Amino acid sequence: MSDIEIKKTYRSLVKKYHPDKLINTTEDDVIVAREQFQKIQEAYQKIKGVRGF
């Protein structure tokens, strides 16, 4: 994937799993979203470090 594709995918996933976007859902959904959001953030930080963007 190119850097641009990675950034677009990252933004898309952040929008989908951001806990603040899930206000009207169950607490279980929010917990899962937080876990996914953290994994997405960690992976993106690693990719940024390796690729240098």
Side-chain angles (χ1 to χ4, degrees), residues 5-52:
E5 290 173 321
I6 290 172
K7 289 177 184 180
K8 284 182 183 179
T9 302
Y10 166 74
R11 287 187 207 115
S12 172
L13 289 171
V14 166
K15 287 178 186 176
K16 181 177 180 180
Y17 289 107
H18 198 286
D20 291 345
K21 297 276 186 177
L22 303 172
I23 294 171
N24 296 325
T25 61
T26 66
E27 185 63 30
D28 290 337
D29 290 342
V30 173
I31 290 170
V32 170
R34 281 188 192 133
E35 291 170 358
Q36 287 294 91
F37 186 75
Q38 285 182 322
K39 289 178 184 178
I40 293 164
Q41 292 292 89
E42 291 170 6
Y44 187 66
Q45 292 302 319
K46 287 180 185 177
I47 292 169
K48 280 177 46 177
V50 170
R51 291 196 176 210

